[in-house]
Amino acid sequence: AQKVTQAQTEISVVEKEDVTLDCVYETRDTTYYLFWYKQPPSGELVFLIRRNSFDEQNEISGRYSWNFQKSTSSFNFTITASQVVDSAVYFCALRRAQAGTALIFGKGTTLSVSS
Amino acid sequence: DAGVIQSPRHEVTEMGQEVTLRCKPISGHNSLFWYRQTMMRGLELLIYFNNNVPIDDSGMPEDRFSAKMPNASFSTLKIQPSEPRDSAVYFCASTPGQSYEQYFGPGTRLTVT
């Protein structure tokens, strides 16, 4: 069975703080994809990153970074120097490697950044 | 390029009425997904299509829900009759292939009174 757990329901930080959103997944597949999506207050789902299970390199994109560790089945997301505009719900998701399979989402973490 | 297009963006209807949600995927994408988002259940898959063919509809709640994809550029999700517990945001997403992310539409917020 496939499952994604985001244990942090809500996180509140003050601007410029660093924050890490945790994601733990379960799968028996050896090949799979992991994703992070952002859902701002406006409601749309914005793609942030896709990671193939064979690629454990960490990735940095501006203030965003992702730490993928197969040994602990985790795919954590860190925002450095958070900003108010980062306030949103963040979803981690898992997808099997077969063509066209659907995303399995975690419950999401609501991040609130205050000024 | 235009993203995934959904209509209507908001729908308010009375219990028992038929509701039809529409989706136009990104041109060239061969997989289309319908998701539902509620506070209680989060984001959950309802059904998905590959090359216009329904592949997995196990997430469709019950017979009141049906989905079609008559061609590569259009899909509908119909609820008949609607019930208050169907109130949710319904997202449509498409992807060009297995190695790619899914691109989501803006969603349709459905309220059934």
Side-chain angles (χ1 to χ4, degrees):
Chain A
Q2 324 283 319
K3 184 180 179 182
V4 176
T5 301
Q6 294 180 257
Q8 303 152 308
T9 305
E10 295 182 14
I11 300 176
S12 294
V13 298
V14 179
E15 248 187 336
K16 299 183 183 179
E17 285 187 28
D18 298 347
V19 58
T20 296
L21 310 182
D22 297 333
C23 173
V24 175
Y25 63 92
E26 296 176 28
T27 181
R28 293 183 178 180
D29 293 349
T30 55
T31 303
Y32 50 89
Y33 296 92
L34 295 165
F35 302 80
W36 277 93
Y37 282 84
K38 174 182 180 180
Q39 187 173 41
S42 51
E44 70 272 25
L45 282 160
V46 179
F47 164 76
L48 295 178
I49 189 172
R50 179 186 78 250
R51 176 62 68 204
N52 182 309
S53 57
F54 290 121
D55 182 3
E56 287 195 70
Q57 285 190 351
N58 292 332
E59 182 156 340
I60 299 174
S61 176
R63 296 183 297 106
Y64 295 171
S65 62
W66 291 269
N67 185 328
F68 174 33
Q69 293 193 349
K70 289 183 74 172
S71 61
T72 56
S73 297
S74 65
F75 187 41
N76 296 337
F77 173 31
T78 297
I79 301 174
T80 302
S82 59
Q83 299 177 2
V84 173
V85 293
D86 296 327
S87 297
V89 182
Y90 291 86
F91 292 95
C92 180
L94 167 70
R95 183 172 70 74
R96 307 184 73 179
Q98 287 90 332
T101 50
L103 292 168
I104 298 166
F105 285 92
K107 294 297 186 185
T109 297
T110 299
L111 174 65
S112 298
V113 183
S114 58
S115 57
Chain B
D1 285 341
V4 176
I5 299 172
Q6 290 188 247
S7 64
R9 294 293 307 276
H10 301 273
E11 177 79 34
V12 179
T13 190
E14 293 184 348
M15 183 174 64
Q17 297 298 305
E18 177 180 299
V19 175
T20 299
L21 311 182
R22 297 173 176 79
C23 175
K24 177 179 170 55
I26 295 172
S27 177
H29 286 196
N30 58 6
S31 295
L32 182 142
F33 304 79
W34 282 100
Y35 293 89
R36 178 171 69 175
Q37 185 177 31
T38 61
M39 289 295 293
M40 292 296 295
R41 300 174 67 88
L43 275 157
E44 54 181 349
L45 175 74
L46 297 177
I47 185 171
Y48 73 89
F49 298 83
N50 278 351
N51 296 315
N52 313 338
V53 177
I55 302 299
D56 182 356
D57 65 354
S58 59
M60 297 285 262
E62 49 199 91
D63 292 345
R64 299 184 297 106
F65 284 68
S66 62
K68 294 182 179 179
M69 192 165 186
N71 57 62
S73 59
F74 184 64
S75 177
T76 60
L77 177 67
K78 184 178 294 185
I79 308 173
Q80 166 63 17
S82 58
E83 296 182 3
R85 61 190 167 126
D86 301 331
S87 297
V89 179
Y90 291 81
F91 287 100
C92 176
S94 68
T95 182
Q98 66 179 92
S99 300
Y100 297 88
E101 57 274 16
Q102 294 180 15
Y103 296 86
F104 283 78
T108 295
R109 182 174 295 278
L110 173 65
T111 302
V112 183
T113 60

